[in-house]
Amino acid sequence: MQLVRQKYQSPAKRTRPRLTAALLVVALGTACAAEGAGPAGIGDAWPVAGGQGGQGQQGQQGQQAQPRTASGALDAYVERFRRAQAARVAAAKKWGLKQTPLLPPAPPDKKPEITFRKGFEVGDPTLPPVFTTVPTEDRVVFLTIDDGAEKDPELLRMMSELGIPYSAFLSDYLVKEDYGYFRRMRDQGVALHNHTLKHRYMRALPYAVQRREICGQQDTMEKQFGKRPRLFRPPYGAYNADTLRAARSCGVEAVPLWAAEAFPDRMEWREWDRDLHPGDIVLTHFRGPGDWKGTMADMVRRAMDTITAKGYAVARLEDYV
């Protein structure tokens, strides 16, 4: 592994509020936006005089809807947030996490510019950039899972209950055993991306074969999951200029590799300091007890305990790339 930290220019300071501030602003703003209309995100929880769901004025001529106050909107919003947080705490305890995962900040208003990591270039800066870390000052990392070999229903339950975002990079020779599993994953909000048809070592292949591996998987994923991926990860992290040209030819925009890798019993690190950094991409695989020392759930516990203990939240990769 290359032990050189990726150097980025710090992005311009964003003025978007962090999560807590955003909740307060939204609650107050929507409460005061207009009389006679429920606050956004709260809706029918807000009664109006003389009836339900805005029917009061029709039911009682001349009776005015009661004004909604900013404090009332804030109270309702805070209560909803409190209940959601209590559910997250309970889920963390149920699944054996040492701490409740931290909440990520709101996504950036503008996605950061992604460029090649130093030393990962192929001589053409116009090709889809290869990177291991997203340039951000947010204390977030991104969880990605590769290939599709293990199809553990416990993983879907666990990640859904914990509310942890992740992205899947899929190889068709493994996924085709059970497309339905990955459709359920997609339906839970997980973004599905390209990891080639047969998981071959790309650098050893001529351009035409590389293109068939990448673009064939683009076609398959569009057919099976309804969307052509924007992101591609080459098997083993191995690529050359032909790989990136082939990827670009069928719609790939970026090539995220990884800065750390999670296993059920350990973490492995690309960087010399053996630590996480803002924007780092964490890799793991769809594996089970037959391949490593534990289950997918054990892997998630190890990864999340490490990420949370270091003061990071897991954010959605596609919100930044």
Side-chain angles (χ1 to χ4, degrees):
M1 282 188 175
Q2 184 166 335
L3 302 179
V4 179
R5 277 294 297 148
Q6 189 168 7
K7 298 297 183 181
Y8 289 113
Q9 291 184 349
S10 297
K13 293 286 187 179
R14 291 194 295 271
T15 59
R16 61 181 177 85
R18 290 297 189 218
L19 182 62
T20 303
L23 294 177
L24 299 180
V25 170
V26 169
L28 290 169
T30 54
C32 300
E35 293 187 3
I42 298 175
D44 291 341
W46 286 85
V48 293
Q52 297 179 356
Q55 298 174 358
Q57 287 185 327
Q58 291 181 345
Q60 296 186 26
Q61 183 68 28
Q63 187 168 359
Q64 297 296 315
Q66 295 298 318
R68 297 161 183 84
T69 66
S71 61
L74 179 59
D75 289 345
Y77 209 104
V78 168
E79 176 61 17
R80 290 172 61 186
F81 183 80
R82 185 194 66 77
R83 291 181 181 179
Q85 181 64 9
R88 295 179 69 254
V89 171
K93 183 177 181 180
K94 171 185 173 180
W95 290 103
L97 274 61
K98 293 180 180 178
Q99 301 178 62
T100 303
L102 300 174
L103 285 171
D109 297 327
K110 182 180 180 181
K111 294 181 180 182
E113 180 182 0
I114 305 296
T115 59
F116 278 90
R117 174 175 171 146
K118 185 177 181 181
F120 287 52
E121 307 95 335
V122 295
D124 183 352
T126 69
L127 291 172
V130 181
F131 59 102
T132 63
T133 300
V134 174
T136 180
E137 295 179 352
D138 294 343
R139 287 190 66 82
V140 297
V141 297
F142 307 99
L143 182 61
T144 63
I145 312 180
D146 275 12
D147 65 44
E150 184 76 7
K151 302 161 186 69
D152 186 352
E154 186 178 53
L155 175 70
L156 300 183
R157 293 193 298 271
M158 181 182 195
M159 301 301 270
S160 177
E161 292 179 14
L162 290 170
I164 298 171
Y166 62 104
S167 304
F169 289 78
L170 304 180
S171 291
D172 190 61
Y173 85 108
L174 295 169
V175 173
K176 66 182 180 181
E177 299 170 355
D178 188 358
Y179 286 127
Y181 177 83
F182 296 97
R183 291 189 190 108
R184 293 192 295 275
M185 184 177 289
R186 174 205 61 192
D187 292 345
Q188 290 182 355
V190 177
L192 308 181
H193 297 295
N194 191 329
H195 198 45
T196 74
L197 286 170
K198 298 180 181 179
H199 205 271
R200 302 174 69 181
Y201 186 78
M202 303 301 282
R203 293 179 63 179
L205 304 175
Y207 174 82
V209 179
Q210 291 200 48
R211 191 175 190 281
R212 185 161 61 247
E213 279 288 315
I214 299 168
C215 298
Q217 180 66 343
Q218 290 286 88
D219 295 339
T220 297
M221 294 192 72
E222 183 175 28
K223 178 180 178 180
Q224 296 297 332
F225 307 115
K227 189 175 183 180
R228 294 175 74 82
R230 294 187 302 107
L231 307 182
F232 161 70
R233 176 176 286 158
Y236 316 106
Y239 64 94
N240 56 21
D242 280 348
T243 313
L244 303 185
R245 280 195 288 269
R248 181 177 63 182
S249 75
C250 47
V252 169
E253 299 175 7
V255 181
L257 298 186
W258 61 92
E261 185 169 359
F263 298 85
D265 59 340
R266 68 189 188 281
M267 296 286 293
E268 292 187 356
W269 311 95
R270 184 183 295 270
E271 310 299 349
W272 65 270
D273 58 359
R274 299 176 59 81
D275 204 357
L276 291 174
H277 313 87
D280 275 356
I281 298 169
V282 179
L283 164 70
T284 190
H285 289 83
F286 290 95
R287 294 289 186 271
D291 300 294
W292 58 16
K293 299 177 181 179
T295 64
M296 293 291 291
D298 293 328
M299 176 278 299
V300 173
R301 277 187 282 272
R302 168 69 65 169
M304 292 309 304
D305 285 345
T306 301
I307 291 167
T308 306
K310 291 179 178 293
Y312 288 88
V314 176
R316 187 172 181 270
L317 180 62
E318 295 74 22
D319 287 340
Y320 288 74
V321 178

